[in-house]
Amino acid sequence: MSNNAPLLVTTGEPAGIGPEITLMLAANGQLNNSVAIGDTGLLKQRAALLGLHLDVVEAAPGSREASSPGRLVVWHAALREPVIPGVLNSANAGYVLETLQIAVDACQQGHAAAMVTAPLHKGVIIEGGFPSFTGHTEWLRDACGVDEVVMLLATDQALHAQSSRWQGSSDLRVALVTTHLPLREVADAVTYDKITRISRLLATDLKNQFGIVAPRIAVCGLNPHAGEDGHLGREELDVIIPALEALRAEGLDVQGPLPADTLFTPRHLAGVDAVLAMYHDQGLAVLKYAGFGQAANITLGLPLVRTSVDHGTALSLAGRGIADPNSLGVALALAKRLAAQRGNALIAL
Ligand SMILES: NC(=O)c1ccc[n+]([C@@H]2O[C@H](COP(=O)([O-])OP(=O)(O)OC[C@H]3O[C@@H](n4cnc5c(N)ncnc54)[C@H](O)[C@@H]3O)[C@@H](O)[C@H]2O)c1
Ligand SMILES: N[C@H](C(=O)O)[C@H](O)COP(=O)(O)O
């Protein structure tokens, strides 16, 4: 990795808030040493619409030119059709995925230090001809050719691990066993293999990426009251408890399965470094309650650094200049730290 490779920001769904939160950070000087990936014309139009004083300039993908105060450098990917803010168009699905592919290729070829993703709209990508798409996390797993990844969201306070164990209500790390799938399919997807693989990756990266020497992970049950000894569901007895016993035998500090309704209370969180939730809304509803807009998403288990925002495309806010860019800033700061840790040094971190 060259010592002046930029950090890449994919600008996400073009009709959503991704382009403008990227521009807002650039205008604030928070995108220095970074490059946006998206349609240059779209970014110029959106900057003009928002009245941002910013030069939006194109550079060749792979070049070392990076943004500076008042200047946003863009690696161009062409929109397939023009965009109206707030109005989805499935014709642009391929454009969104192309921005991701450019970022992955650049990270893997050593032309970039890390990638940070602005939000995309899963549904419009599926409708645009990519029926198996379910989210960045799963797409990146496949694009990078790895078997398993972990979605971890953490609030700003918990991202930079001077303190590891839980400190207070806005301090939370939540990882997921299952990610983007219908609730009806969740119970079948919570398997012994899935829990053990995800837990190992989580424990490894809490050590390697967050500097937590002996991570303690609290694991949610799947069913109400963690199954009530099998009376309210058998997944705890049949799957989760055996998986946690195997993990403990390997030396992992995993607690549970604990009833998810009370796990997220101070008494239970006090000695914990991360919570492992069984499904998306079990964990992320709490995380977003604790710190929506002040948290970031990281994909563990990839051969590259990828972080993201904690929110979606917020279509009703697009083009109005009122979206909060803070989570993108948190994701950028995290990506910079993790890239530096991996030796993907950036210019003047
Ligand atoms: N990282 C990602 O790519 C990502 C993350 C979450 C959701 N999504 C996708 O986004 C789409 C919309 O999802 P949703 O409606 O469930 O969630 P959303 O986060 O887009 O919106 C939820 C609520 O939060 C508000 N909001 C979101 N971001 C905001 C910001 N930066 N500033 C101020 N208010 C903000 C919205 O206006 C809305 O009221 C879906 O397609 C979903 O899959 C993508
Ligand atoms: N699960 C994420 C959230 O709710 O914030 C979001 O859907 C984004 O996931 P990907 O990073 O996999 O697109």
Side-chain angles (χ1 to χ4, degrees), residues 11-24 42-43 46 95 118-119:
T11 50
E13 165 53 45
I17 60 172
E20 70 201 65
I21 57 176
T22 307
L23 289 160
M24 288 157 111
L42 167 83
L43 290 163
R46 205 61 66 85
Y95 156 82

Side-chain angles (χ1 to χ4, degrees), residues 174-258:
V174 177
L176 305 180
V177 171
T178 62
T179 53
H180 297 125
L181 76 172
L183 197 49
R184 190 177 286 281
E185 295 171 22
V186 164
D188 288 338
V190 172
T191 62
Y192 177 98
D193 282 349
K194 188 86 178 159
I195 295 167
T196 49
R197 287 203 307 263
I198 296 278
S199 301
R200 288 187 197 113
L201 271 178
L202 175 60
T204 300
D205 274 3
L206 286 172
K207 280 185 212 161
N208 294 344
Q209 305 219 56
F210 291 86
I212 300 169
V213 179
R216 177 173 299 165
I217 300 168
V219 181
C220 298
L222 175 68
N223 296 297
H225 309 296
E228 191 87 10
D229 299 323
H231 299 295
L232 296 177
R234 289 204 54 87
E235 285 78 6
E236 286 77 9
L237 294 176
D238 294 345
V239 177
I240 304 175
I241 290 172
L244 298 189
E245 281 171 355
L247 291 164
R248 283 184 206 113
E250 293 172 20
L252 268 68
D253 188 350
V254 285
Q255 299 181 335
L258 297 162

Side-chain angles (χ1 to χ4, degrees), residues 50-191:
L50 302 183
L52 294 172
H53 300 291
L54 195 62
D55 283 335
V56 178
V57 297
E58 209 169 298
S63 76
R64 291 300 194 244
E65 201 179 341
S67 306
S68 52
R71 192 165 184 273
L72 175 65
V73 173
V74 181
W75 290 2
H76 177 69
L79 281 169
R80 309 309 193 246
E81 288 189 3
V83 171
I84 300 168
V87 181
L88 293 170
N89 180 350
S90 62
N92 284 321
Y95 156 82
V96 174
L97 295 184
E98 186 187 338
T99 64
L100 299 183
Q101 191 63 60
I102 292 169
V104 167
D105 291 346
C107 287
Q108 292 194 320
Q109 292 161 10
H111 298 311
M115 63 185 283
V116 180
T117 57
L120 53 68
H121 193 282
K122 299 169 191 58
V124 82
I125 291 183
I126 292 165
E127 287 163 17
F130 303 92
S132 61
F133 186 84
T134 54
H136 286 100
T137 305
E138 303 85 351
W139 186 91
L140 286 163
R141 176 196 62 208
D142 297 343
C144 292
V146 295
D147 291 334
E148 193 67 88
V149 291
V150 179
M151 185 187 296
L152 172 72
L153 272 82
T155 56
D156 194 12
Q157 234 171 296
L159 285 168
H160 305 288
Q162 278 83 6
S163 64
S164 60
R165 299 264 152 96
W166 187 82
Q167 303 287 307
S169 60
S170 62
D171 172 32
L172 201 56
R173 299 183 192 93
V174 177
L176 305 180
V177 171
T178 62
T179 53
H180 297 125
L181 76 172
L183 197 49
R184 190 177 286 281
E185 295 171 22
V186 164
D188 288 338
V190 172
T191 62

